Amino acid sequence: MERMIEQIPRFFSAQNLTLLLEAAGLTLAMTLVGCLIGFGLAFVLVFLRQTPGLWALPLRWICIAYVEVFRRIPFIVVIYLVLFFIQAVTPDASLFTIAVIAICLYAVAYTADIIRGGIESVPRTQVEAAEAMNLSRLQTQLKIVLPQAWPVIVPPAIAFAVSFIKDTALVSQVGVFELTFRGKELNNQGYSGILVFGTIALCYFLLSFPLSLLGQYLEKRLGTPRGQRRARKIWRT
Amino acid sequence: MAHLAVNDVRAKYGALEVLKGISFSIEKGEIAALVGPSGSGKSTVLRALMGLTPVTGGHVALAGDQLDYSNAKSVRAARDRMAIVFQQYNLFQNMTVMQNLTLAPLKIKRWPRAEVESEARRLLGLVGLGDKADAYSDQLSGGQQQRVALARALALKPQILLLDEVTSALDPELVNEVLDAVGKLAAEGMTMIIVSHEMAFVREVADKVIFMDGGQIVESGEPAALFDSPRTDRARDFFSKILRH
């Protein structure tokens, strides 16, 4: 304990703080880039999964299989799979890229179900009204269904991304210089584990908490038709 | 030649045959009313014509052109020439009244914006909602929403307008405002097929009444003849229960 208190001034040196700040930035960047790309791809996946017709049956199966398989693999295993696969294909890929790809693959599977739930919450009759006017499937999704599904999709999607900030700690296993990795490093340099990981814990909290608040705000905002209209107006401008 | 000729049309929901060979025709400017008990297939006839329920047999000819409902292009042609108004209005919740009216004319028909918008305003005036262009559907009463839905269908300039129980979801005091709007269209010579339980209204506007039961047409004829002296027992039984003179 005494050793820890004695270490405090040295631990919070400009050099260490910069290191931690960079690591926090990396953690956030990985999560945001991975989740945003994953979220976008999940829309494509959901759209493909709903392709009508017998000829599209294999396509639908592939989409369903992807979601069901990836949701049942531990994230750490996905990371290793991506690591070894990417290194086999392009040996000079950066670890950051590998981490983002792993996050992305995982996020697709989880957010696809969130998106599907949102889309299914829009009454079928809205789609019929659009069909009866000759709107194409894509036009119907973009103009009618998604704008209405949005309020159902956004809050849980943000909640997923926020909780995923924590899970990215696992990519420290492959040597990405994110928060947890830096923590282990500092700990190895002789700093007290309680001090180091207490600080790391605080960093994770500071990263996720504002995002959680944003999620809660959006949930409230999007929950009522009136709020939805306001939000739409804000997004449009 | 009839404007719309429906010949032996069949439709199934899964294994259940809900239309067992429907045949009728209407001329340009005519109004046909489909009446009958719930589950008799009236709404399915309209849905089948719009390609919303798969047609499993029979022929439909519109203005002399055969429509093949197994062919996507033909379904598009049907939807291009006919418009439907649903019982539950089905206005797009995420759009204003104006956007509801102009979406398909702009995006699908690709008519010029100025023309589309002025026509939309004219139609909103026609249904008595000239001041509601910027409202969203949850700010409108059921009757107002249904009148918007009517205007939205008219904005497509359909050759035939299909009305599927447009007053059934409304509070009683709102029924007449919608019927008045439909009455105006009738007076303008709009060709319509209406499914309705409003017998007094049907008697007033319809040129032809088609009585359906169990997915088949039991009897059809002019409203006065059918209502007052039905030839079949089933029709007599039905009308004696619902018509109060």
Side-chain angles (χ1 to χ4, degrees), chain A residues 138-155:
Chain A
L138 188 63
Q139 281 173 321
T140 305
Q141 291 296 319
L142 292 180
K143 299 250 170 228
I144 312 297
V145 177
L146 284 181
Q148 294 184 56
W150 213 227
V152 184
I153 293 172
V154 169

Side-chain angles (χ1 to χ4, degrees), chain A residues 191-213:
Chain A
Y191 289 109
S192 141
I194 298 174
L195 179 65
V196 171
F197 285 102
T199 311
I200 298 289
L202 184 69
C203 289
Y204 276 112
F205 176 79
L206 290 178
L207 283 182
S208 354
F209 193 60
L211 277 172
S212 298
L213 289 182

Side-chain angles (χ1 to χ4, degrees), chain B residues 35-55:
Chain B
V35 301
S38 297
S40 59
K42 313 178 294 284
S43 293
T44 309
V45 172
L46 301 190
R47 294 177 57 84
L49 285 173
M50 291 306 290
L52 294 172
T53 293
V55 175

Side-chain angles (χ1 to χ4, degrees), chain B residues 138-154:
Chain B
D138 62 341
Q139 297 168 316
L140 302 175
S141 72
Q144 290 173 328
Q145 290 189 56
Q146 192 58 289
R147 284 183 283 151
V148 172
L150 200 58
R152 179 174 73 174
L154 292 171

Side-chain angles (χ1 to χ4, degrees), chain B residues 66-220:
Chain B
Q66 285 292 329
L67 297 176
D68 171 10
Y69 283 93
S70 62
N71 173 315
K73 211 175 147 195
S74 198
V75 171
R76 286 186 75 83
R79 291 170 177 172
D80 194 46
R81 295 169 174 197
M82 293 185 276
I84 187 166
V85 180
F86 299 94
Q87 181 178 353
Q88 294 289 349
Y89 349 121
N90 301 0
L91 293 182
F92 300 130
Q93 308 283 327
N94 55 317
M95 295 182 180
T96 63
V97 165
M98 194 53 156
Q99 289 167 332
N100 263 282
L101 261 69
T102 57
L103 175 69
L106 290 175
K107 298 279 170 197
I108 307 303
K109 308 265 190 184
R110 297 187 177 284
W111 292 333
R113 177 174 285 273
E115 199 178 287
V116 165
E117 284 180 352
S118 79
E119 173 67 3
R121 276 180 224 291
R122 186 188 75 81
L123 290 169
L124 285 177
L126 182 79
V127 297
L129 294 171
D131 55 337
K132 297 289 185 193
D134 296 321
Y136 284 86
S137 59
D138 62 341
Q139 297 168 316
L140 302 175
S141 72
Q144 290 173 328
Q145 290 189 56
Q146 192 58 289
R147 284 183 283 151
V148 172
L150 200 58
R152 179 174 73 174
L154 292 171
L156 297 162
K157 301 193 198 297
Q159 293 175 6
I160 303 178
L161 184 62
L162 311 179
L163 305 182
D164 186 8
E165 300 200 33
V166 289
T167 57
S168 300
L170 300 176
D171 287 342
E173 68 261 42
L174 301 179
V175 167
N176 283 333
E177 62 185 54
V178 173
L179 292 185
D180 287 347
V182 178
K184 263 192 213 172
L185 297 177
E188 284 183 5
M190 185 83 213
T191 310
M192 292 191 268
I193 305 176
I194 60 181
V195 169
S196 183
H197 292 298
E198 300 289 335
M199 293 304 157
F201 180 71
V202 166
R203 183 191 282 263
E204 190 187 317
V205 302
D207 299 295
K208 179 189 280 180
V209 179
I210 297 165
F211 173 67
M212 289 182 65
D213 190 26
Q216 286 172 313
I217 294 176
V218 178
E219 193 175 337
S220 65

